[in-house]
Amino acid sequence: MFCVNSVAPRLTAKANMKSYHWAIFLGACISNLITCCAQEQTIHNLIEDIRNEEPREWSEFPTKSKLRDLSIQFASDNNNSEQTISIRQYDVKLEWRVTLNGKDLGSLATDEKDMIIYLPVRAGTLRDGENQLLIKCLETVADDIRVGEIKIYARPLSAVLSDASVDVEVFEGTTSNLLPARITVVNSNGSLQTVSSSESKQLAVRPGVVYTASGKAALNLPAGTYKMYVGRGFEYGIDSTNFVIKRGDRLKKIFRIKKEVPTEGWVSSDTHIHTLTHSGHGDATIEERAITIAGEGIELPVATDHNIHVDFRPAANLTGVRNYFTPIVGDELTTKFGHFNVFETDITATPVDHNVKDWNDVTSKIQDTENDKVIILNHARDVHNNFRPFGPGRHLSSAGINDGNWTVPANAMEVINSGSQQSNFMNLYQDWFGMLNHGVFLTPVGSSDSHDVNRYIVGQGRTYIQADDSNSGKIDVAAAIKSFRDGKVMVSLGLLTRITVNNRYGPGELVPFSDNLTVVIEVFGPAWTNADRVSLFANGIKIREASIQNSGVGGQKWKGSWDIPLPKHDIFLVALAEGPGVIGPYWPIAKPYQPSSTDWTPHLIGSTGAVWIDADNNQRRDAAYEYAKTIIHSSKGDIYKTINILTDYDAAVAAQVAGLLWQGKMDLDSHQVQEALEHAHQQTKDGFERVMREIKSLEK
């Protein structure tokens, strides 16, 4: 504290008056500081690692956890009116209840992101003297979380979150056109900062994230230091600003974002979208879903709530975003033997009966009511109802064969599900390659499986369909569905990869016989994503690869071409680019929902659909399976002759031969087969060895 009187004898009357006012100012500042400190009490300043049950969920957490819950004792006074508690949390997958002196305050947010949440403390919850705060999970599935930096504010929740306000406007590029967008707010620690708003009809608000339908948002937040990001999904750049806001401030922030990824002639679609309103889980109401779809730039969203037909149109009209997308009615046929997205359906029609006994029954029931529809096999490596469609215990991935020979009731399959990722993202791609090689022509799909506003971002995994996108609100659905079923697609999770063969042909097309094959590949993405590698696969076998340098630019990140020797049999080509996953709070990549490893490295992926090469010049696409059948028939059971013929074929054909021999009850481990393989070409050995490894998994 300053002592004004110590210099008073030297001051003039005017100076004395200035000093007097300065002393009053300092006193007011100190008084405000004391009042502020009295209104805010830190009861736990540490961040704790907590594991409710063993084993360890993620390797970033300690091998052994010391805490199964967090119990804090602290001194306080009885509260005669509502107060507020703030908690920092990270990696919360299950429900963790928060109680104070045995009274329930609510739950941590079910979200794996680093965030600050707030809970109201009702009058009479605190007591004079010692108090106990408990954060505990009642579920028995392992969940590693971090939690701490807990404070109590002697003010109601509404007051804590309305110290100050920020008016946000989002424009497209240099134009005056307001644009639906995603707004992300983080504090000085990089944690998502809970905000509030009195505007609800055109906003979807979650801790640290706000989607705006109109391009405008009036946000309230505590005084502090923040960074705000604004974007609109994969195709747009990110604009951001740092700011300090004091109690009573009202700031205005203008953001300009522009489209950085060229997608003309390709419609952005998310074929796997849920709502809390109709699925009963997650947190996105159907109105919030419409806002998030517009805010992420999805032009052709498919409603796929469980065993019910849903139409997004009324919600899109209500929230004012109908012109930004063309909704498709569909449903997720949720059975004991897998989940299948079916569309386009009639909103008035009865959904397909989900009570089935096997895949053949699924096929029969879908065909009875939904002819010529898109039928997508969802998250084929996930377990639901103790059934895993492409699990190693019932499926030979390399050969595309199900144990039991069930007919696959789908014409498409998810290779990327951003809400339910694989620890190894190539697993589903290898499954898809195997199905194509087996003659089951499935369109590859990218989707989000989002049930939420922010936990899993709608449209993060997406499919680009070759179709007219000049009017997002009036897309020709029939034409888009036909193109989709024909395989004219690209799959995206933060990157976009294009392929052109012989200057003309792309995904879903058959390249006529030619003396040469020139493959041109381009990789695109916004400036906030990076690509580091691109690969070319023939029949699912990597035949070319290149590294990508200096890819932190918006738009085209890489372009290259390869001349491919013409094979002696038909093949399909797929290009795939990958890069490091986004960890920024504006578009973070979620961890796997059903991990197979405690390690997790997020990836960005952009892949093409399959381009077929008519190498045998018969004007049709022949899968490896067709060649395998011919080889086995011509060799008449002679394994030595079979292996010898395979000299002219790749490992994919060899794998199909191995699968057919196994189905015909031949022991691939027998001395005869192994002797025949001893002098085989390497591609033949590779095909057989992979199938034999997978057979051993079936036998376990």
Side-chain angles (χ1 to χ4, degrees), residues 382-684:
D382 285 0
V383 179
H384 294 281
N385 294 300
N386 296 316
F387 180 82
R388 178 181 291 172
F390 285 172
R394 66 177 310 273
H395 181 73
L396 299 181
S397 176
S398 58
I401 299 173
N402 277 293
D403 187 23
N405 293 316
W406 290 5
T407 301
V408 178
N411 48 39
M413 69 167 284
E414 291 180 341
V415 293
I416 292 175
N417 181 317
S418 58
S420 185
Q421 293 204 64
Q422 295 293 299
S423 295
N424 179 355
F425 77 88
M426 282 301 298
N427 282 343
L428 285 169
Y429 275 97
Q430 294 296 344
D431 292 337
W432 174 51
F433 293 154
M435 296 304 291
L436 292 182
N437 282 321
H438 196 61
V440 183
F441 302 124
L442 302 175
T443 296
V445 177
S447 68
S448 71
D449 199 1
S450 174
H451 296 70
D452 318 278
V453 169
N454 184 48
R455 183 183 180 187
Y456 298 109
I457 300 173
V458 70
Q460 192 165 53
R462 58 177 66 187
T463 306
Y464 281 90
I465 305 169
Q466 191 172 359
D468 181 8
D469 67 333
S470 58
N471 188 336
S472 298
K474 295 182 179 179
I475 291 169
D476 186 333
V477 173
I481 286 179
K482 182 182 184 306
S483 190
F484 181 95
R485 290 193 57 172
D486 289 343
K488 297 180 179 181
V489 300
M490 298 181 290
V491 175
S492 175
L493 177 62
L495 295 172
L496 192 67
T497 305
R498 293 182 181 174
I499 186 171
T500 306
V501 180
N502 289 352
N503 299 313
R504 176 178 175 183
Y505 301 96
E509 296 183 313
L510 179 66
V511 180
F513 178 83
S514 174
D515 291 334
N516 64 292
L517 287 176
T518 299
V519 181
V520 176
I521 299 172
E522 300 170 274
V523 179
F524 298 88
W528 46 272
T529 67
N530 286 279
D532 55 23
R533 181 167 56 182
V534 60
S535 304
L536 180 65
F537 295 83
N539 277 5
I541 303 161
K542 187 184 294 186
I543 60 171
R544 295 288 188 278
E545 185 177 44
S547 61
I548 300 176
Q549 307 292 330
N550 304 318
S551 66
V553 295
Q556 188 182 87
K557 295 178 179 293
W558 186 87
K559 182 177 181 179
S561 66
W562 285 303
D563 291 325
I564 307 300
L566 188 70
K568 295 182 180 180
H569 57 87
D570 290 3
I571 59 171
F572 63 85
L573 298 176
V574 172
L576 187 149
E578 57 187 291
V582 175
I583 58 174
Y586 43 82
W587 213 68
I589 303 297
K591 293 178 178 177
Y593 187 69
Q594 293 185 0
S596 58
S597 169
T598 58
D599 296 321
W600 165 240
T601 302
H603 287 267
L604 299 182
I605 307 161
S607 73
T608 69
V611 187
W612 287 84
I613 310 300
D614 185 21
D616 60 11
N617 198 22
N618 66 355
Q619 289 79 55
R620 68 169 187 258
R621 54 183 182 181
D622 291 313
Y625 175 70
E626 298 299 327
Y627 297 104
K629 287 195 301 182
T630 300
I631 291 169
I632 290 176
H633 177 75
S634 64
S635 63
K636 298 179 180 179
D638 185 333
I639 187 62
Y640 296 96
K641 187 175 181 181
T642 299
I643 298 299
N644 185 57
I645 296 173
L646 280 171
T647 299
D648 292 329
Y649 296 86
D650 64 14
V653 177
Q656 292 300 316
V657 167
L660 286 170
L661 293 175
W662 172 73
Q663 287 182 306
K665 308 303 181 183
M666 180 176 286
D667 181 5
L668 301 184
D669 277 323
S670 69
H671 173 74
Q672 187 180 32
V673 174
Q674 292 304 307
E675 185 179 61
L677 284 172
E678 187 174 342
H679 300 292
H681 280 214
Q682 188 60 48
Q683 67 266 23
T684 302

Side-chain angles (χ1 to χ4, degrees), residues 57-58 89-94 109-115 455-456 590-591 593:
E57 186 184 16
W58 301 111
Q89 64 167 76
Y90 169 73
D91 203 47
V92 177
K93 181 177 181 179
L94 304 179
T110 306
D111 197 318
E112 287 79 356
K113 301 175 188 69
D114 181 355
M115 62 178 59
R455 183 183 180 187
Y456 298 109
K591 293 178 178 177
Y593 187 69

